Amino acid sequence: MKKTIHIIGSGFSSLAASCYLAKAGYDVVVFEKNDNIGGRARQLKVNGFTFDMGPTWYWMPDVFEKFFADFGKKPSDYYQLEKLDPAYQVYFGKEDSLTISGNLNEILELFEKEEKGSAKHLQRFLNTAKGNYDVAVKNLVYKPGISPLELITPETIVRLHHVFGNIRKQVSKSIKNKKLLKILEFPVLFLGAKPQNTPALYNFMNWADFGLGTWHPKGGMYKVVEGMVNLATDLGVEFVTNATVEEIVVNEVGEAIGIMINDKFLSADIVLSGADYHHTETLIPNVYRQYSEKYWTKKTFAPSSLLFYVGFDKKLKSVCHHTLFFDTEFDVHAVSIYDTPEWPKEPLFYASFPSITDNSFAPKGKEAATFLIPLAPGIEDTNEIREYYFNMIIERLEKLTQQSVKENIIFKESFCVNDFINDYNSYKGNAYGLANTLTQTAFLRPKIKSKKVKNLFFTGQLTVPGPGVPPALISGKIASDLIIKFNR
C-alpha cells in the first residue's frame, strides 16, 4: 500500500517536492490555506491587468531545466521563455542611469566606458564567479545541510578564501566606480543580506546575472507555477485549497501521524511543511519544537517588502521591464533593515513593468507595474504609512524619468508586512526567509528533517539552501530525497 504524504503549503518548494515524491510512488496531497496555488508566487488579475504578486525575476534557468529534466520534460513543455535585452536599467539620479545589456560583451564595454580598465577586472571576476557557480549551484546547494563535511571537497578547499571573504571587499578590490560597484552588489539583494555580510562565494550570483542573463516566462512567473502544477497533477498529486492546517498531530511516541483541518483529522504517514518554518513549529506541542522563540529572534532575516501593484492608463517612458532606483544610499537604507529596524527615510526601490515585454499584462496602450521597497520585518504597517511611501516613490519616478505618471493611475493595490503574516503566516512578515550570511549558510540553517518528531520534514526558504525561486526548487528536491532515504 502506498504511503501517504501531506504537504502544507503550495509554494515552489512544496510543488517541487510533490513532483519528486509522487514520482517515487507516494500518495501526495498538497494543502493550501489560500484560494489559489503558488504560495507567494500568486497572481493578481484585475481590470484587464495582470500582476505577479511575488517573484518577478527569472534567473538561473539551468536550475529550472534540471528540475523538469528529472521528469523527462523541458520548461518549454509548459511555458515559453524570452531572454530580456536589456536585462534591466539602474537609475542613480536624474539623467543618470545605466542600462545592463543581455549580452556579456556589451556589459564589458559599458564597464570599460564608465571606468577605464574595469572590463579586464570584471572579466577576471566573472571567471571566478562562474567557477563558484559550477561548484555551488551544480553541487553544494543540493546538499541536505546535515553536516559541515558536505562542504569539504577538493573544489571548495581551494575556494576557502571566498567563504571567509565578503562580496563587498571582493568587488571593490579592482573596481572603484561607485555606480559599477552598486551594480555588482545588486544581486546580493536576492540573498537577503548586506554585501559586507555575504560570503564572497556567493559571487556566483553575478554569473547568474551577467553570464546566464535575465529571462521572462511569457504570461509571467505564475506560468512556472501552472507548469509545475500540471506536472504534479499528471504524476498523481492532489491539491486542496482553502485548507488551513490547524495542527500537526503527533502521537505518544513522537511520530507525526497526520494533520487537522477544520477540526477534521486527516491521517498521513509523513508530513512535509513548505509553510513558514516558525509557524509550522507552532502547530506541534512545545516539547517537540526544535527552535525556541529566542532562537528565531536572534536570526538575521531577509527583508520584508512594501509592494504596490499599479495600473497606468498610458505607456511609460524611460523605463525597462526591470528598473532599479538606486538614487539613494543602500548602506543607509540597509541600516534601517538590519541594524535598527525602522521605516527607511530614503529607500531604494525596484519597479517591474512586464507589459513592456509582454502584452498579456495590460490592456493595449496601458502599463502594468509592480513597485517594491525592501523593509525590516516586524515593523509597524498601516495604510497611512503605505500611502506616504507610495507618494514618495512615484514622485521620485517622475523626477528621475522626467515624466508625469501620478494622474494616470487607474488601479492600485498594496501588500506589506501585515499581509505577509496574514496570507503566508510569515515570521514577522518577512518576504524572503533567512538571510544567507556566513553563520546562516548550509548546515547552519534550520534542518529539513525534524530532530524531535519522526516523519516530519520541512522545505522552503527558511531551510537549505535559502531564499529565491531556484533555491526553492532545490529545497523541494532535497526534502524529497531525505524523505525517500528515511522511508525506504
Side-chain angles (χ1 to χ4, degrees):
M1 185 175 175
K2 282 185 175 181
K3 283 189 174 182
T4 299
I5 296 182
H6 286 167
I7 299 180
I8 305 172
S10 67
F12 280 113
S13 58
S14 293
L15 293 176
S18 75
C19 292
Y20 286 111
L21 293 167
K23 180 186 176 186
Y26 291 91
D27 185 2
V28 182
V29 186
V30 176
F31 296 91
E32 168 57 50
K33 75 182 287 284
N34 295 307
D35 57 8
N36 49 20
I37 301 299
R40 298 170 197 234
R42 293 184 296 165
Q43 199 169 63
L44 173 65
K45 288 180 176 284
V46 61
N47 300 339
F49 292 95
T50 297
F51 305 93
D52 279 320
M53 294 185 71
T56 57
W57 292 78
Y58 191 104
W59 271 9
M60 302 165 70
D62 52 321
V63 175
F64 296 86
E65 290 165 7
K66 179 175 172 54
F67 168 75
F68 284 107
D70 285 342
F71 303 92
K73 302 290 185 179
K74 304 185 295 294
S76 58
D77 294 328
Y78 299 98
Y79 53 89
Q80 301 304 309
L81 282 176
E82 175 184 354
K83 188 174 185 182
L84 295 182
D85 192 4
Y88 54 90
Q89 182 178 11
V90 186
Y91 271 95
F92 302 98
K94 187 177 179 181
E95 297 183 358
D96 185 11
S97 71
L98 293 178
T99 299
I100 303 302
S101 168
N103 179 285
L104 179 54
N105 286 332
E106 291 180 9
I107 295 171
L108 290 167
E109 290 173 6
L110 172 68
F111 269 61
E112 188 65 21
K113 181 180 177 182
E114 290 295 314
E115 179 181 332
K116 188 171 179 58
S118 65
K120 177 182 67 176
H121 297 307
L122 177 61
Q123 185 64 71
R124 187 184 305 124
F125 172 73
L126 289 176
N127 290 341
T128 302
K130 182 181 185 303
N132 287 342
Y133 190 94
D134 291 340
V135 170
V137 177
K138 296 179 181 178
N139 186 6
L140 291 184
V141 295
Y142 285 90
K143 301 294 185 183
I146 295 172
S147 165
L149 296 178
E150 294 169 0
L151 304 180
I152 308 301
T153 69
E155 293 83 5
T156 58
I157 288 172
V158 301
R159 288 175 165 80
L160 276 179
H161 62 290
H162 290 164
V163 175
F164 296 105
N166 66 64
I167 290 286
R168 169 153 294 175
K169 282 184 179 178
Q170 190 180 56
V171 299
S172 62
K173 190 177 297 182
S174 302
I175 296 175
K176 304 302 178 185
N177 181 286
K178 287 186 177 181
K179 290 188 287 189
L180 299 183
L181 291 176
K182 283 186 177 182
I183 290 171
L184 287 172
E185 290 183 352
F186 148 66
V188 171
L189 298 181
F190 287 99
L191 303 172
K194 293 180 182 179
Q196 59 267 42
N197 292 339
T198 303
L201 180 68
Y202 284 106
N203 67 13
F204 66 71
M205 292 295 291
N206 293 100
W207 178 250
D209 180 1
F210 292 165
L212 301 179
T214 303
W215 299 75
H216 171 71
K218 187 170 176 56
M221 287 296 289
Y222 198 70
K223 289 298 178 184
V224 184
V225 172
E226 292 178 339
M228 295 178 73
V229 170
N230 289 337
L231 172 60
T233 302
D234 289 343
L235 291 165
V237 177
E238 179 184 352
F239 291 91
V240 182
T241 55
N242 297 304
T244 299
V245 176
E246 300 152 347
E247 181 185 354
I248 297 171
V249 181
V250 181
N251 67 13
E252 64 278 1
V253 293
E255 296 174 324
I257 58 171
I259 57 179
M260 294 291 295
I261 295 180
N262 299 327
D263 295 323
K264 182 180 179 182
F265 174 67
L266 302 174
S267 67
D269 298 295
I270 298 157
V271 176
L272 169 63
S273 179
D276 179 271
Y277 204 122
H278 170 270
H279 169 73
T280 301
E281 288 217 312
T282 69
L283 302 177
I284 57 178
N286 263 316
V287 67
Y288 293 119
R289 296 176 191 175
Q290 306 166 91
Y291 305 105
S292 66
E293 288 298 318
K294 186 177 179 180
Y295 170 90
W296 293 109
T297 58
K298 286 187 173 181
K299 290 297 166 185
T300 301
F301 274 81
S304 184
S305 298
L306 171 54
L307 291 138
F308 295 101
Y309 312 107
V310 183
F312 295 94
D313 67 4
K314 69 175 184 179
K315 302 299 289 184
L316 271 61
K317 302 179 297 183
S318 305
V319 290
C320 289
H321 183 128
H322 296 297
T323 306
L324 304 165
F325 293 86
F326 285 4
D327 53 311
T328 60
E329 285 300 320
F330 174 67
D331 284 349
V332 177
H333 185 170
V335 168
S336 68
I337 297 175
Y338 299 104
D339 302 330
T340 54
E342 61 185 358
W343 282 88
K345 290 182 174 59
E346 294 184 307
L348 282 71
F349 68 99
Y350 154 71
S352 171
F353 303 96
S355 46
I356 289 175
T357 302
D358 189 335
N359 292 332
S360 70
F361 275 82
K364 187 175 181 180
K366 297 179 172 60
E367 204 85 272
T370 297
F371 296 93
L372 182 154
I373 301 174
L375 301 171
I379 59 175
E380 181 186 14
D381 173 17
T382 68
N383 289 333
E384 291 76 17
I385 293 174
R386 296 185 189 193
E387 195 63 22
Y388 171 81
Y389 279 89
F390 180 73
N391 289 328
M392 176 191 293
I393 64 174
I394 288 297
E395 287 170 9
R396 279 169 55 192
L397 169 72
E398 290 183 324
K399 178 182 176 182
L400 293 168
T401 64
Q402 301 182 67
Q403 63 185 315
S404 174
V405 301
K406 193 169 185 179
E407 300 306 315
N408 300 97
I409 295 170
I410 54 177
F411 172 80
K412 181 184 73 169
E413 187 168 312
S414 64
F415 198 95
C416 197
V417 172
N418 292 344
D419 302 298
F420 280 103
I421 294 170
N422 294 333
D423 288 10
Y424 310 129
N425 295 312
S426 171
Y427 181 74
K428 290 188 176 181
N430 80 84
Y432 305 107
L434 283 176
N436 267 340
T437 60
L438 181 60
T439 56
Q440 294 181 173
T441 295
F443 66 96
L444 296 173
R445 297 179 75 83
K447 302 304 181 188
I448 280 184
K449 182 180 183 294
S450 173
K451 297 176 287 186
K452 293 190 175 183
V453 179
K454 187 179 180 184
N455 295 331
L456 175 60
F457 296 81
F458 301 81
T459 188
Q461 60 188 9
L462 287 175
T463 184
V464 291
V469 178
L473 299 186
I474 295 168
S475 184
K477 175 171 174 51
I478 295 170
S480 61
D481 286 347
L482 281 181
I483 288 170
I484 295 166
K485 176 182 176 180
F486 285 98
N487 289 275
R488 282 176 178 155

